[in-house]
């Protein structure tokens, strides 16, 4: 440093997103930048020289531009259920979708589509901009006791990100006196790899006995035999759900089951239903995988210290901290360094 000036960041960056080269004054990023966490920074950069030292200060205003890195999120969750009487009037708004996207501008602007089979689209519609779901057909318990509505929320960013809401609509027969569950939607978490035959949730239903209706049989519990039901079973007498095949979160992380409770009133069978939403939680059962086992990199001589020259990329199918990777050299080398978080390899200062 020929002029004897030393630069430091004196304030405005408590999280340490940036560093300044004390000799040249070059600002560099030192952490990944996140618009949602910190959209704007005002750095105070101080220059010092001489003995006793003289100081100069300048302000650097940094705007972190938004990229479309957040998908839409449904609130309170990505699967919900509701009960509709079969005499609900056409044109009624039956559900208002709540969703958010943490990105800004077009990146966070949402539109909604109903992507269910055509029979559903003749019965329900969704307003693209507001997320209002409206009944546009007639309901009949005997013909269709349940509808599975798949709603897609898309943002307007590039690349476009989306998420899917499963809305289960149970139709309630007008004069139905079937059993009633203590909740319409049960939510439960299940660890992946849970052993077969493990009991994990007891559902309960009550019979609605009509005075003078004659003999009332015991409740019988069963599962509607759809795609998700194959991995689970239910005890017919007690309502205990159990595992029939161990869940693997990396294959499937959420199951929707319909539990049914049947009772016989004087020779007539009556049935009530509820939804069980099973979220499969992650176990650290996958090791990191390097994109390539062997990589050849050429590095020019006399590069300044801190020059990046190559990336090591790895993936891990687990989620959260189980899938967060850190990089290090098995054998350290004074000529090179690797960024723990990103896998970027750089030259090192050599004395």
């Amino acid at each position: 440093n020929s002029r004897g000036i030393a630069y430091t960041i004196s304030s405005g960056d408590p999280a340490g997103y940036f560093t300044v080269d004390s000799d040249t004054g070059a600002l560099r990023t030192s952490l990944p930048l996140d618009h949602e966490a910190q959209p704007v920074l005002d750095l105070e950069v101080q220059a010092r020289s001489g003995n006793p030292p003289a100081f100069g200060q300048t302000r650097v205003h940094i705007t972190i531009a938004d990229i479309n890195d957040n998908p839409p999120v449904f609130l309170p969750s990505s699967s919900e259920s509701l009960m509709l009487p079969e005499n609900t009037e056409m044109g009624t708004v039956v559900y208002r979708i709540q969703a958010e996207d943490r990105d800004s501008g077009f990146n966070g602007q949402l539109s909604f589509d109903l992507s269910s089979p055509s029979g559903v689209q003749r019965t329900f519609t969704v307003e693209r901009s507001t997320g209002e779901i409206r009944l546009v057909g007639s309901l009949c318990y005997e013909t269709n006791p349940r509808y599975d509505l798949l709603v897609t929320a898309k943002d307007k960013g590039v690349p476009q990100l989306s998420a899917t809401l499963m809305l289960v609509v149970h139709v309630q027969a007008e004069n139905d006196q079937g059993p009633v569950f203590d909740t319409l939607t049960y939510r439960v978490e299940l660890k992946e790899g849970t052993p077969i035959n493990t009991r994990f949730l007891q559902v309960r239903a009550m019979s609605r006995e009509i005075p003078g209706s004659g003999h009332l049989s015991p409740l019988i519990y069963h599962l509607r035999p759809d795609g998700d039901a194959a991995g689970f079973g239910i005890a017919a007498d007690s309502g205990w759900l159990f595992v029939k095949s161990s869940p693997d979160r990396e294959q499937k992380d959420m199951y929707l089951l319909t539990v049914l409770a049947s009772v016989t009133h004087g020779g007539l069978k009556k049935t009530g239903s509820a939804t069980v939403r099973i979220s499969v939680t992650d176990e650290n059962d996958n090791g990191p995988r390097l994109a390539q086992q062997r990589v050849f990199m050429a590095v020019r001589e006399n590069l300044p210290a801190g020059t990046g020259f190559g990336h090591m990329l790895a993936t891990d199918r687990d989620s959260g901290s189980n899938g967060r990777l850190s990089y290090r050299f098995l054998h350290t080398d004074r000529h090179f360094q690797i960024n723990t978080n990103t896998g970027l390899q750089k030259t090192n200062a050599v004395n």
Side-chain angles (χ1 to χ4, degrees):
N1 187 347
S2 56
R3 295 176 297 163
I5 297 173
Y7 298 93
T8 55
I9 295 172
S10 54
S11 69
D13 186 20
Y17 284 108
F18 295 93
T19 57
V20 65
D21 188 301
S22 63
D23 293 335
T24 65
L27 278 168
R28 291 190 178 91
T29 58
S30 62
L31 291 173
L33 304 181
D34 183 1
H35 168 86
E36 285 72 46
Q38 184 91 45
V40 170
L41 288 96
D42 278 303
L43 307 186
E44 288 277 356
V45 179
Q46 190 178 79
R48 183 181 78 246
S49 72
N51 192 9
F55 295 94
Q57 295 229 127
T58 189
R59 175 167 289 194
V60 182
H61 181 80
I62 298 170
T63 302
I64 297 169
D66 185 45
I67 62 166
N68 195 25
D69 58 345
N70 289 281
V73 175
F74 289 99
L75 305 172
S77 77
S78 60
S79 68
E80 294 297 321
S81 64
L82 66 123
M83 183 80 79
L84 284 184
E86 65 178 343
N87 60 357
T88 303
E89 277 187 43
M90 278 194 221
T92 304
V93 173
V94 296
Y95 191 82
R96 285 179 173 84
I97 295 164
Q98 299 292 318
E100 65 176 17
D101 189 311
R102 294 178 61 218
D103 294 312
S104 304
F106 284 118
N107 292 337
Q109 211 168 315
L110 298 182
S111 64
F112 304 97
D113 287 299
L114 202 56
S115 54
S116 301
S118 57
V120 166
Q121 286 169 333
R122 285 197 298 269
T123 312
F124 299 93
T125 60
V126 66
E127 169 61 41
R128 283 183 65 85
S129 56
T130 65
E132 287 186 344
I133 294 180
R134 201 176 287 273
L135 180 67
V136 293
S138 56
L139 300 175
C140 174
Y141 176 82
E142 297 300 327
T143 315
N144 271 316
R146 167 181 161 163
Y147 291 89
D148 292 349
L149 276 60
L150 280 174
V151 180
T152 305
K154 295 177 183 169
D155 62 27
K156 294 180 180 173
V158 179
Q160 191 174 57
L161 299 177
S162 65
T164 304
L165 166 75
M166 167 69 88
L167 180 65
V168 179
V169 179
H170 297 278
V171 179
Q172 186 179 26
E174 207 168 337
N175 299 311
D176 186 40
Q177 292 297 325
V180 179
F181 282 87
D182 52 16
T183 183
L184 202 55
T185 303
Y186 295 88
R187 287 186 175 83
V188 64
E189 288 190 344
L190 195 60
K191 274 187 183 174
E192 66 173 328
T194 297
I196 290 168
N197 292 327
T198 302
R199 299 195 307 183
F200 62 91
L201 173 70
Q202 188 176 25
V203 298
R204 292 180 186 278
M206 297 284 290
S207 296
R208 294 190 287 193
E209 188 176 359
I210 311 163
S213 65
H215 175 69
L216 191 66
S217 71
L219 280 175
I220 303 293
Y221 294 98
H222 49 117
L223 291 175
R224 189 190 295 278
D226 51 27
D228 281 2
F232 303 93
I234 191 167
D237 56 345
S238 65
W240 271 105
L241 282 154
F242 60 90
V243 175
K244 278 169 70 175
S245 61
S246 259
D248 177 1
R249 191 201 67 86
E250 285 73 47
Q251 295 293 324
K252 190 170 170 65
D253 64 359
M254 198 265 286
Y255 295 85
L256 274 177
L257 312 178
T258 299
V259 286
L260 304 167
S262 300
V263 69
T264 306
H265 279 261
L268 283 175
K269 189 177 178 185
K270 301 282 188 180
T271 302
S273 64
T275 302
V276 178
R277 180 187 193 272
I278 301 165
S279 301
V280 183
T281 59
D282 190 47
E283 291 285 289
N284 194 18
D285 56 350
N286 289 279
R289 293 182 68 131
L290 286 160
Q292 295 164 280
Q293 291 298 314
R294 181 173 291 189
V295 183
F296 294 95
M297 293 178 183
V299 186
R300 291 203 323 272
E301 64 178 345
N302 299 325
L303 287 175
T307 304
F309 62 86
H311 254 110
M312 285 305 295
L313 284 176
T315 55
D316 190 309
R317 295 174 65 211
D318 293 314
S319 69
S321 56
N322 292 337
R324 206 169 295 134
L325 301 178
S326 62
Y327 299 84
R328 64 183 178 86
F329 288 134
L330 197 58
H331 305 290
T332 56
D333 187 300
R334 67 194 184 99
H335 297 98
F336 304 107
Q337 56 180 312
I338 189 165
N339 185 299
T340 308
N341 299 315
T342 65
L344 176 66
Q345 290 166 112
K346 301 178 186 175
T347 55
N348 215 351
V350 180
N351 297 325

